[in-house]
Amino acid sequence: MTEKARGYLIIIGGAEDKKGDSIILRQAPKMLSSEDLLTILTTATEKPKEAGHDYKEVFKRLGVKHVEILNINTRDDADNEENADIIKKSKCIFMTGGDQLRITSILGGTRACLEIKNLYENGGIIMGTSAGASVMSSTMVVQGNDNEPARKCTLKMAPGLGLLSGAIIDQHFDQRGRFGRLLCGVAENPDVLGIGIDEDTAVKLFPDLHFEVIGSNAVTIIDGKSIQSSNVSELNPNEILAIMGVTVHTLPQGYGYELQNRKVLRLKDGD
């Protein structure tokens, strides 16, 4: 994790508050000027009109003046020059939930994907919830067992958009019992940091690669660099994972984390 990030990532664990104080989604109007464009990208969902409309209403209520909905549902859409120009004109892209493989299989290698990366590298803001959160890392979780003990050979991963390297992001984390599957991902590659984000909770990643926790629940960090040994590489697939020496942090709002130094931060406040 040595790259220098230039913009901001707001990575949301799903089921964020849309009707109350909406402290996670409120990050958008806090960070945008009155002239900036926020574009809602609905690629992940099979109900783009409904999802786009719902989030547009929320962001308008929170004070974002310029909101556009971009329905990219095919690779032809993703290579369309007009769609790429909308992303280029945006200051913030918000990716809805749905299926993360829809995002990567539709956007991967297209003009739209290039403009999203350019936006981030040039100081823009990328927000994503649920599937839109998982897809931000270089390697993303596609499928795994919920609410079960950590078990070998049960985790399916695939390349993500690559906005954040050196980490695996999982969402709906505590609510769907996903500790075991993220632990397997870290056991398979101890150099990669596991970041599990609860519902109505987000990681706000700053350009210097430290993040702050926002929201009502917690973020779980699984750091595999301290692992002493595991049985993950042994035969007998579907065997229960044995792992020794892994480091785990649970961080609610008011805490943060330095990704490069792998250091927990105690913040003065939770804003």
Side-chain angles (χ1 to χ4, degrees), residues 10-270:
I10 299 178
I11 311 170
I12 309 167
E16 69 282 353
D17 173 27
K18 301 179 187 68
K19 297 180 179 179
D21 291 337
S22 305
I23 62 169
I24 295 171
L25 298 180
R26 196 177 291 277
Q27 290 296 311
K30 281 185 175 183
M31 300 173 72
L32 297 175
S33 75
S34 60
E35 301 303 316
D36 288 333
L37 173 64
L38 183 152
T39 296
I40 299 165
L41 185 62
T42 61
T43 304
T45 177
E46 294 183 349
K47 297 181 178 179
K49 291 183 179 179
E50 295 91 330
H53 175 268
D54 289 347
Y55 275 107
K56 184 173 184 177
E57 290 297 305
V58 174
F59 284 120
K60 285 287 190 179
R61 175 178 68 83
L62 295 176
V64 182
K65 295 187 179 297
H66 302 285
V67 182
E68 181 130 9
I69 300 169
L70 185 56
N71 296 327
I72 293 179
N73 297 310
T74 67
R75 289 186 62 78
D76 284 342
D77 291 342
D79 262 328
N80 179 276
E81 187 174 354
E82 290 183 6
N83 290 338
D85 283 344
I86 291 172
I87 297 172
K88 191 173 183 178
K89 293 174 184 176
S90 303
K91 180 66 176 180
C92 177
I93 297 294
F94 179 87
M95 295 185 287
T96 68
D99 181 349
Q100 51 263 49
L101 274 177
R102 278 184 56 85
I103 300 176
T104 55
S105 63
I106 291 172
L107 296 184
T110 66
R111 290 184 181 183
C113 187
L114 177 62
E115 292 300 341
I116 290 171
K117 292 180 178 181
N118 286 341
L119 173 64
Y120 178 51
E121 290 169 1
N122 287 286
I125 305 160
I126 310 296
M127 304 177 70
T129 184
S130 191
S134 289
V135 78
M136 292 195 193
S137 54
S138 296
T139 302
M140 65 181 184
V141 176
V142 174
Q143 188 176 6
N145 294 336
D146 294 350
N147 293 306
E148 286 193 14
R151 194 180 296 273
K152 300 189 302 183
C153 302
T154 57
L155 185 66
K156 181 180 178 182
M157 293 190 284
L161 293 182
L163 301 175
L164 176 62
S165 65
I168 304 171
I169 297 164
D170 210 348
Q171 20 75 15
H172 301 282
F173 190 67
D174 186 64
Q175 290 73 20
R176 297 188 185 178
R178 290 179 167 174
F179 183 88
R181 76 180 201 176
L182 187 58
L183 186 64
C184 285
V186 174
E188 290 173 6
N189 189 348
D191 189 47
V192 172
L193 199 68
I195 304 175
I197 308 174
D198 289 349
E199 293 179 356
D200 193 37
T201 308
V203 159
K204 181 178 180 180
L205 182 68
F206 289 75
D208 65 357
L209 295 179
H210 90 276
F211 71 69
E212 297 178 1
V213 178
I214 304 168
S216 62
N217 290 302
V219 172
T220 299
I221 304 294
I222 303 179
D223 185 352
K225 280 195 171 182
S226 61
I227 291 174
Q228 298 164 356
S229 64
S230 79
N231 68 347
V232 72
S233 63
E234 298 172 11
L235 298 177
N236 304 319
N238 298 317
E239 188 177 46
I240 295 292
L241 177 70
I243 188 167
M244 283 67 73
V246 67
T247 300
V248 178
H249 307 288
T250 301
L251 308 177
Q253 182 165 294
Y255 287 82
Y257 195 80
E258 291 184 0
L259 293 182
Q260 289 182 307
N261 299 325
R262 302 203 175 198
K263 178 182 177 184
V264 173
L265 304 172
R266 180 67 187 265
L267 308 175
K268 292 182 179 180
D269 55 56

